[in-house]
Amino acid sequence: MSRNESRTQGAPAAAPPPVPSQPQSEVPSNAFSFVVPTEVVDLPSKGLFYGEGHPLYGLDSIEVKHMTAKEEDILTSASLLKKGVALDKMLQSIIVDKRIKVEELLVGDKNALLIASRVYGYGAHYNVEVPCPTCNSVFEHTFDLNQIEAKEVEDVQGVSKTENNTFVVTLPKSNLEIEYRLLLSKDEHELSNKTSGGSLELLKLI
C-alpha cells in the first residue's frame, strides 16, 4: 500500500462543488395578454332621444372595440345567420359598456355602429356591383364609408317633442293628432320578420 493510499483510506469522499442556481425570471400572468384597441363612435342621435334610465341618455358617442377572430366567428356562424341575429351579436360583443343592449339602440345609432365596425374591421372601401336597369349591364363601384355623414338633429316644423321622448304631429288631411316614437333595433327586427319572414340586412360586412 502506498503512502498516499494510507492517508486517504477511510476518509469520506469529497462532495462535488455545488452548481450555482440560475435565477429564474418571473413571467407575469398577463405577459402574453392582448389589449384590443377601441374607438369612439359618434351617435347621430347625440343621446337626445333616450330616456333618463338608458345608458346612452345625454351621451353623444359610444366606445367600441375593434373586431377580432371572436367577432368573425360570430359573423360566419351558420346558426346565427339563419336566425338573422349575427350582426346584433357582433355589435353586442364589441360594445365596451355592457349595460348597453343592441335591441335598445335607436336604428340610426345602430347603423352608425355597423358602418364604423365595418371600417375598423375591413377598411373603408366597400366594393359592390350595381346593375343598370336600362342596359342590364353590371358596373363595379367602390364606396368610401368614411365619407358617410350623419344627418344633424334638427327641429321639424309641425312636430313637437314630449317629455317622454315621443313626438306629436297633426296629420294634414284628417287633422288627427298622433303621438309616435323613433324606431329601436328590436322594432326594426319585428317589422322585418312580419313583412319578409326574415331579418333585415342593413350592411354586408364581408
Side-chain angles (χ1 to χ4, degrees):
M1 179 181 297
S2 66
R3 181 180 304 176
N4 290 335
E5 288 178 350
S6 63
R7 290 178 180 177
T8 59
Q9 187 176 9
V19 178
S21 59
Q22 296 292 333
Q24 297 182 355
S25 59
E26 296 183 1
V27 179
S29 58
N30 61 346
F32 302 103
S33 62
F34 174 70
V35 178
V36 180
T38 62
E39 302 285 348
V40 175
V41 180
D42 293 333
L43 297 175
S45 72
K46 301 184 183 299
L48 299 176
F49 307 112
Y50 294 104
E52 293 187 10
H54 197 281
L56 291 176
Y57 173 72
L59 298 180
D60 59 0
S61 61
I62 183 174
E63 185 179 8
V64 296
K65 299 184 296 183
H66 284 214
M67 285 194 293
T68 63
K70 173 185 176 182
E71 284 72 39
E72 289 193 345
D73 288 342
I74 294 175
L75 291 175
T76 56
S77 169
S79 61
L80 295 179
L81 289 171
K82 184 177 180 180
K83 296 177 181 177
V85 296
L87 294 180
D88 283 9
K89 293 292 185 182
M90 182 276 295
L91 288 180
Q92 191 64 67
S93 179
I94 65 173
I95 293 176
V96 174
D97 189 347
K98 296 308 177 184
R99 298 176 303 159
I100 302 171
K101 305 303 179 184
V102 172
E103 60 267 20
E104 297 295 333
L105 287 175
L106 292 171
V107 172
D109 291 344
K110 178 182 175 181
N111 289 345
L113 291 182
L114 283 172
I115 294 173
S117 62
R118 171 60 167 79
V119 172
Y120 300 144
Y122 302 101
H125 290 166
Y126 184 59
N127 301 318
V128 296
E129 294 183 347
V130 182
C132 175
T134 304
C135 63
N136 295 325
S137 300
V138 178
F139 301 92
E140 293 185 357
H141 184 76
T142 300
F143 291 94
D144 187 352
L145 298 181
N146 282 328
Q147 300 300 319
I148 298 178
E149 296 182 357
K151 293 183 178 180
E152 292 293 330
V153 177
E154 58 184 17
D155 295 332
V156 179
Q157 185 177 1
V159 179
S160 58
K161 182 183 175 184
T162 70
E163 297 178 353
N164 300 320
N165 288 310
T166 59
F167 300 86
V168 176
V169 63
T170 301
L171 299 180
K173 292 186 177 181
S174 63
N175 289 324
L176 291 177
E177 186 179 85
I178 63 170
E179 183 178 1
Y180 64 96
R181 63 176 175 82
L182 298 179
L183 282 176
L184 299 175
S185 175
K186 61 181 179 182
D187 300 324
E188 187 179 49
H189 276 294
E190 184 177 353
L191 288 173
S192 176
N193 291 333
K194 288 182 178 179
T195 56
S196 63
S199 64
L200 181 64
E201 184 179 6
L202 298 177
L203 180 66
K204 184 179 179 182
L205 291 177
I206 299 179

